[in-house]
Structures are given as structure tokens and as C-alpha cells.
Amino acid sequence: MPITPRYMLVCDQIRQEANGKFLIVGLYTPDIVVDAVPAVLPMLAFLVALDSTEAGTITATFQFSHADQILVCGSIEAILARPGVVILPFNVGPVQVMSAGLYTFSVQIVGQATPLTHTFAVHLNATMPAAAVPRGDRVFALRAARPPGSDFIAH
């Protein structure tokens, strides 16, 4: 079954709603910043989007690794009712990050020659000590500008 990768997202959590939509919580863009190492990421997830040219079953193995050490691994099976876009959510947390550096999430689909991989960095937060990081205590108001005399109302 021909599979084409589209994209991979790294976030805290992926949920699928009753109506089938995916909810992506805490999207990392592009790297993860921690205050200190070791650090525990209580939730970590990867969303893999693929294109399939036919219906069928996808079987895959996955692993999350750092410096030749596998932190999490497993396998999945997904049934495709029809050709088109396939979304595979992987909730792999909690994960302990022992050091800053490059981390890789890879998915090997059975029957495909090469794995799908996504590499990102974990950085230490060097700009602010942990106690000084804003925690939602600042509120910013956005105001829509409108020409004088217009009836424009921002919704």
C-alpha cells in the first residue's frame, strides 16, 4: 500500500472528539524548552499525517529516542476505510528528559522502505529563571480599529 508522509506535529496531548475532530494541546514550535534537566514531560504526543492511495490496514512500529537510547517504543495498527489522508496520533508521555540535545521520533510502517522521522531539540531555558516565567498573570487587550463614523463592529 503506497503511503506518502505529509507532516508530523509535536505537542503535549492529542485527543479525538466524539465528532471525529482532533484536538491538539500544547503545540511545540519547533523545539521544547525546559527549565532544568532532568525534566519529566508529563504528556508528550506526536501527530503523523499520511496520504494513502488505497484502503486497508497499516501496521507500524514507533520509537522516541535520544543519543542512541530508546525512551519509548511500541506498535500500532490502523484500519483505513478509504484512501486519502490518514491521521495517526501517538500519545507517548510521560517521558523523562535527561539532557538537552536532539531527540527523534520515528515511525516505521510495515512495507515501507524508510521510516518517517522527526528530529527536534530540547533546550534549557536560559532567558528567565523558573520563578520568573509568566504564568498567565498578564492580560493583554486587543482592540479593533475602525474609521470614525463607521458601523464596523469587531466580533
Side-chain angles (χ1 to χ4, degrees):
M1 170 183 323
I3 300 287
T4 305
R6 294 186 81 188
Y7 57 87
M8 191 179 303
L9 302 176
V10 182
C11 58
D12 287 330
Q13 186 180 33
I14 301 165
R15 294 184 224 149
Q16 189 167 16
E17 301 297 312
N19 62 8
K21 292 191 291 185
F22 287 93
L23 179 65
I24 297 167
V25 179
L27 180 65
Y28 291 104
T29 58
D31 298 326
I32 295 176
V33 178
V34 295
D35 291 327
V37 288
V40 174
L41 303 175
M43 294 184 273
L44 184 63
F46 300 89
L47 183 133
V48 178
L50 312 166
D51 270 324
S52 174
T53 58
E54 55 191 65
T57 301
I58 293 177
T59 303
T61 59
F62 64 90
Q63 70 179 31
F64 178 55
S65 59
H66 170 66
D68 295 331
Q69 180 184 7
I70 297 172
L71 303 174
V72 178
C73 63
S75 62
I76 63 154
E77 188 172 90
I79 299 170
L80 311 179
R82 60 186 177 281
V85 176
V86 179
I87 302 293
L88 301 176
F90 297 88
N91 288 298
V92 300
V95 174
Q96 186 165 18
V97 175
M98 295 304 291
S99 63
L102 295 178
Y103 287 76
T104 301
F105 182 75
S106 63
V107 177
Q108 178 65 59
I109 298 172
V110 173
Q112 300 293 307
T114 57
L116 310 171
T117 61
H118 180 72
T119 299
F120 59 93
V122 171
H123 300 282
L124 288 174
N125 185 355
T127 58
M128 294 183 191
V133 175
R135 302 280 186 220
D137 57 343
R138 294 188 175 97
V139 177
F140 297 93
L142 298 177
R143 208 171 52 170
R146 61 184 168 110
S150 75
D151 291 331
F152 171 80
I153 299 174
H155 294 279

